[in-house]
Amino acid sequence: MAFALPPLPYAYDALEPYIDSTTMNIHHTKHHNTYVTNVNNVLAGENGGSLKGLSLSAIQKEVVSLPDSIKTAVRNSGGGHWNHSFFWSVMGKTGSIAEAPSGDLKSSIESTFGSLDEMQKKFNTAAATRFGSGWAWLSVNADGQLFISSTPNQDNPLMEGIVDQPGTPILGLDVWEHAYYLKYQNRRPEYIASWWKTVDFDVIAKNYTAAKSGGLPAFDTPLA
């Protein structure tokens, strides 16, 4: 088997006016699809056999131990596939999503950061100050505590031994220019602020519950 480009869980224009439909279409069908194609090429090669049968999430955890001949390709393209699949899953159409956390997630955010506003400020700073291309994350560490981090390129917190702060992501934001440049040009902070209007906190809560019990985010990825 090989990985396939997952369909978006909503229409390309569903996140308007915050993320425009043209960006979503190009981002999904061109950028994300390229990562899928490239990681499948690695898996089909002579050194990709050890990864066959692993889930996409499991592959992230294996990056640090891969041979040099495929490590960079899997890190970039396998990471790109995972990150984008996750990214689509945490967003939804305004009016049909939970726009604020509740329950255990709300309590954990408040105990860790003081308030939702403070968490968002720290997250926004991580996203805005990520030099060049990369991601901002809200994750759960091995002790079950929330933390905010950012990673370069297509790295993610599942890549233990690669990233400075490993953990299980429950929320992530793409700050590569292709994610926002058509609408926001160089105004990354404006994109970040607008993006919060698309975040579905019900999904984040499910991810948090899974992460606390040692599980992974609640989105499906085919096995390789």
Side-chain angles (χ1 to χ4, degrees), residues 8-15 24:
L8 290 184
Y10 35 73
Y12 288 119
D13 63 356
L15 307 184
M24 289 296 295

Side-chain angles (χ1 to χ4, degrees), residues 23 27 40 58 107 175 187 190 209:
T23 292
H27 199 171
N40 281 338
S107 297
V175 292
R187 305 187 305 277
E190 184 179 341
T209 298

Side-chain angles (χ1 to χ4, degrees), residues 82-93:
W82 193 95
N83 292 352
H84 285 85
S85 299
F86 179 68
F87 183 50
W88 312 135
S89 77
V90 301
M91 298 184 292
K93 183 177 180 179

Side-chain angles (χ1 to χ4, degrees), residues 75 137 150-152 155-167:
R75 181 177 178 178
W137 307 96
S150 71
T151 57
D155 289 354
N156 63 62
L158 290 176
M159 296 179 180
E160 188 169 357
I162 297 288
V163 297
D164 294 333
Q165 294 177 277

